[in-house]
Every structure is written in structure tokens, then in C-alpha cells.
Amino acid sequence: MTPDEDAVTRDHDPHAGAGRRGIGRWAVVVAAAVAVVAVAAVSFSIGRLSTIGEEPPANASAEAGFARDMQVHHQQGVELAMIVRDATDDPDVRLLAYDQATAQAQQSGQMYGWLEEWGLPQAGPEPSMTWMTRPELDGSTHGAHGSGESAHRPGEPMPGLATPAEVAELRELEGVEAERRFLELMIAHHGGAVEMADAALARSTYPVVVSLAESIASSQQAEIDLMERMLAERS
């Protein structure tokens, strides 16, 4: 049986034995990781192409801050998703995790490409979350279409991020316990991403930024609703 066949068999057999779990799970994790990297590479190219013709934002703009911080936020989302795919045989959770990992890797690659095309460094000149601390950014090249100051302050953890201890805890769990903890962490994580996307929409009219922020806000809110139902089923 090939690794792919073994992975498919395990996805449809939640009672697969622990002896088969080791090799099969590593095959799935490696395959998923390769897919995530490939998606991110393609999205990097798309991100660069999508900004051609637009006046680039400034280094301290809301657009640049959003692109940098959301990449970091998404990277943890990918990490959490990959952990739970290795910790459970539940097909619904594993499919959700794979979809989340690939989607967030794609979006991270896109935002990386924006910064490259804008001629801006991947690391910003200010602490993370600075762009969310005031309604308008002096460095922004585009007028904001919203107002309201975020409760977050520069250098504070991004909203919804799991702590290192929480990530370590998830790595130690398996089965339903891992599913429940993952869903709890990812619901909070998605909530933070929606907050960041809404903040970007209140501070930018840059077309590609608005488009992606709207997509993140709508898709992750829909996934929050789904994950809350899935968590209730496992309570």
C-alpha cells in the first residue's frame, strides 16, 4: 500500500490501529506540508502581480502593517492545523485543518508578494500591531474609510494568538481531546484574524488589501460558526 493509499484508508477508518498510525500520519503530514509550501510559492507570485500598477504604500502604512502582521498570524494558524492533522483520525477535522492550512498559506504568500512588489522589507520599522493603534496612519498612501482606535497597543500579542504553552499542550494531545483543544484555539485564532481584517478595512482603500481583508473576515467568520458546532458535538 502506498503512503497516499494508507492516508486515504485512515481517513475513512477512524478505528485504525495505533501500529498503522505512525508511518501513515507522517506520510500525511509530509504531503500536507509539501502542498502548503507549493501553494505559498504560487501565491507569492500572484501577490506580486496583483499590485502592479498601484502606487505602493509607505513602510509605516496600515497596508504594510496588515501584510506583515497577518502573515505572522496565519503562520500560527497553519501550525495549529498541521498539528491536529497529525493528532486525529477524524475525517471532518482533518479536512477542515487541511483547508485552513492551505488557505492561510496561500494568503501568507500573497501578502509576502505584496511587500516585495512594494519594495518594502518583510520586517516593519515599528512594533507589531502599531498600525491598529490609531484610526489613521500618517504613512498610509490611501485615505482610511473608517475610524475608531483599537484596544491593542504596539508590541502586545496579536489578537487570538495561542501562547507557546497552548501550542505545546496541543502537541501532547490525541483523538477527541486534540480535536476539542484545536477547535477552541482556532475559534479564538480566527476571531483575532477577523478583528485584524476589520481594522485593515477601516484604515485602507488599497484594492488588493481591501479584497483580501474582506475575504478573510467573511471566510473565517463562517469557519468560526462551523467550528463552534463541531466543538459542541464533542463536548
Side-chain angles (χ1 to χ4, degrees):
M1 181 178 292
T2 67
D4 287 341
E5 289 171 337
D6 182 65
V8 170
T9 299
R10 289 190 305 104
D11 278 346
H12 289 81
D13 181 10
H15 303 291
R20 299 172 55 204
R21 180 176 297 174
I23 295 175
R25 279 190 171 177
W26 278 112
V28 170
V29 170
V30 170
V34 170
V36 167
V37 171
V39 168
V42 171
S43 302
F44 162 72
S45 299
I46 293 174
R48 296 192 66 173
L49 292 172
S50 66
T51 65
I52 294 176
E54 298 285 346
E55 181 183 356
N59 198 27
S61 66
E63 293 86 357
F66 172 73
R68 291 170 178 134
D69 287 347
M70 191 60 87
Q71 281 188 72
V72 174
H73 203 273
H74 274 11
Q75 286 162 10
Q76 188 185 78
V78 173
E79 180 184 12
L80 296 175
M82 297 293 283
I83 291 172
V84 81
R85 273 185 60 87
D86 189 36
T88 180
D89 292 320
D90 185 276
D92 293 333
V93 174
R94 298 185 80 250
L95 178 60
L96 173 65
Y98 180 80
D99 288 345
Q100 290 173 336
T102 53
Q104 292 188 66
Q106 186 270 335
Q107 291 168 352
S108 291
Q110 189 173 345
M111 289 181 283
Y112 187 99
W114 292 351
L115 293 167
E116 288 290 302
E117 189 61 34
W118 294 340
L120 302 178
Q122 296 295 325
E126 301 174 308
S128 66
M129 307 304 296
T130 299
W131 64 277
M132 281 183 63
T133 64
R134 48 190 183 271
E136 294 183 3
L137 273 280
D138 292 338
S140 181
T141 59
H142 294 263
H145 58 76
S147 62
E149 188 171 341
S150 170
H152 289 85
R153 294 295 177 266
E156 290 185 351
M158 295 176 196
L161 277 190
T163 66
E166 288 171 333
V167 176
E169 176 194 9
L170 180 61
R171 290 187 185 278
E172 297 301 317
L173 301 176
E174 290 191 346
V176 176
E177 289 184 352
E179 295 164 19
R180 282 197 294 260
R181 194 68 184 113
F182 165 75
L183 291 167
E184 290 168 351
L185 293 175
M186 193 61 89
I187 287 169
H189 197 271
H190 272 24
V194 171
E195 181 180 343
M196 292 169 69
D198 285 344
L201 291 171
R203 291 160 173 79
S204 177
T205 58
Y206 200 88
V208 296
V209 173
V210 169
S211 178
L212 183 59
E214 288 177 341
S215 176
I216 290 171
S218 62
S219 65
Q220 297 212 5
Q221 183 58 57
E223 286 189 353
I224 288 172
D225 297 339
L226 170 62
M227 290 188 291
E228 287 177 341
R229 293 194 298 272
M230 294 174 71
L231 181 59
E233 293 169 357
R234 290 162 175 79
S235 297

